[in-house]
Amino acid sequence: MIGVLVSGTGTNLQALLDARLPVVAVASNKPGVQALERAERAGVARAVFELEDFGSREERDLAMAEWLGGHGAEIVVCAGYMHLLTPAFLERFAAINVHPSLLPAFPGLDAVGQALAAGVRETGVTVHFVDDGVDSGPILAQETVAIEEGDTAESLYQRIRAVEHRLLPDAVRVYLAGLVRS
Ligand code: GRF
């Protein structure tokens, strides 16, 4: 059973739902985002955990972990979740993230812009486990995306997103199958 963390449009959440993966709960750090509407349309439990409603990041993550666990989540997928997770949260749940570059290249914000600015010929998508660093945990899956002559951030990101929407559900499915086997 999967809990998904979101902050924005939720196209990766949608890819997980469309792949019929067992998403049981969706938590957002922001109210009113499109990802929450996607969860609602799919009939999945959803909740908002805004940082300012809690005394600290640790307290927020603890409440979020309790809520996710209460809905049966066993692993967590960060699908465009824009906050770091605290160590106590990561002790409770293995968490998987999708990032729009070939990590360890271009971690952090605006990975697509970073790749274009660096003038590299290819970038890509990484699905990795979350640790307490920024996009630094062990890698589960990667796929290359070529950078074409005349690419803008928009045109490149469009091709990267198409890869994300296939690679993330595939990697999560493989990980869950391994959990069942063990
Ligand atoms: C994705 O590009 C993902 O790689 C990054 O944030 C974006 C989230 O998009 N971590 P969405 O909310 O899934 O549409």
Side-chain angles (χ1 to χ4, degrees), residues 8-13 79-82 97-100 157 161 164-165:
T9 56
T11 61
N12 282 287
L13 165 65
Y81 184 64
M82 296 305 285
N97 182 44
V98 58
H99 182 78
Y157 199 19
R161 278 180 165 284
E164 287 186 340
H165 298 158

Side-chain angles (χ1 to χ4, degrees), residues 132-147:
D132 55 3
V134 176
D135 302 321
S136 57
I139 290 171
L140 264 160
Q142 280 188 313
E143 191 170 313
T144 299
V145 175
I147 298 182

Side-chain angles (χ1 to χ4, degrees), residues 30-161:
K30 267 192 189 172
V33 294
Q34 216 185 320
L36 289 167
E37 291 166 25
R38 294 178 191 276
E40 185 175 7
R41 274 203 298 278
V44 174
R46 60 215 169 270
V48 176
F49 294 86
E50 277 189 280
L51 203 45
E52 58 252 44
D53 293 340
F54 296 88
S56 65
R57 198 170 271 264
E58 283 73 17
E59 279 177 31
R60 190 274 304 274
D61 281 11
L62 197 67
M64 198 160 69
E66 281 299 311
W67 183 81
L68 290 166
H71 282 81
E74 294 154 317
I75 67 156
V76 163
V77 176
C78 298
Y81 184 64
M82 296 305 285
H83 281 179
L84 291 177
L85 291 167
T86 47
F89 186 97
L90 293 171
E91 271 165 34
R92 170 128 186 214
F93 291 111
I96 292 171
N97 182 44
V98 58
H99 182 78
S101 78
L102 290 177
L103 291 171
F106 314 127
L109 292 177
D110 193 20
V112 177
Q114 289 187 57
L116 280 176
V120 292
R121 305 275 301 273
E122 54 185 32
T123 181
V125 174
T126 302
V127 179
H128 66 98
F129 290 107
V130 178
D131 64 11
D132 55 3
V134 176
D135 302 321
S136 57
I139 290 171
L140 264 160
Q142 280 188 313
E143 191 170 313
T144 299
V145 175
I147 298 182
E148 291 164 8
E149 225 23 64
D151 251 338
T152 60
E154 290 69 35
S155 63
L156 176 56
Y157 199 19
Q158 205 179 344
R159 296 202 304 286
I160 286 177
R161 278 180 165 284

